[in-house]
Amino acid sequence: FLVAHEAGEVKSLPGVDIIRALPSFAHMELHCQAGQWQDRTVDCFTRPGAVQLVHESEEVVNQDYETIRALEIKGFFEFSEAAAQN
């Protein structure tokens, strides 16, 4: 599952293209779009989506997983500056 570490109005999702370009990327399910409010993830109901990674190399999957976790902290979302961040 993807994790939103902040809440706010989503301006854009620049991390989507980065994730889709990962070597082990297989599928992504998104529950938020630009212009919508995204709550900070506290459970499975507030997650912004999910990503499936598949590759013959465990090392590649692990590297891509770490890339996604880093993007969740900075780079997956661009929030509107007018939105309150929680």
Side-chain angles (χ1 to χ4, degrees), residues 10-85:
V10 177
K11 184 175 178 182
S12 67
L13 297 159
V16 169
D17 291 334
I18 296 168
I19 291 172
R20 286 189 173 138
L22 294 172
S24 68
F25 174 79
H27 179 76
M28 184 182 314
E29 174 185 312
L30 290 175
H31 301 292
C32 66
Q33 298 177 21
Q36 293 181 330
W37 183 267
Q38 173 62 50
D39 289 322
R40 185 176 69 84
T41 301
V42 295
D43 56 27
C44 66
F45 302 108
T46 54
R47 65 186 169 97
V51 176
Q52 293 176 351
L53 302 175
V54 178
H55 197 276
E56 61 187 27
S57 168
E58 182 178 353
E59 183 177 334
V60 170
V61 172
N62 288 337
Q63 288 173 348
D64 291 352
Y65 174 85
E66 292 302 327
T67 297
I68 292 168
R69 292 298 176 219
L71 279 171
E72 290 171 332
I73 294 168
K74 183 173 173 111
F76 184 78
F77 295 102
E78 181 181 359
F79 289 106
S80 171
E81 292 182 26
Q85 301 293 312

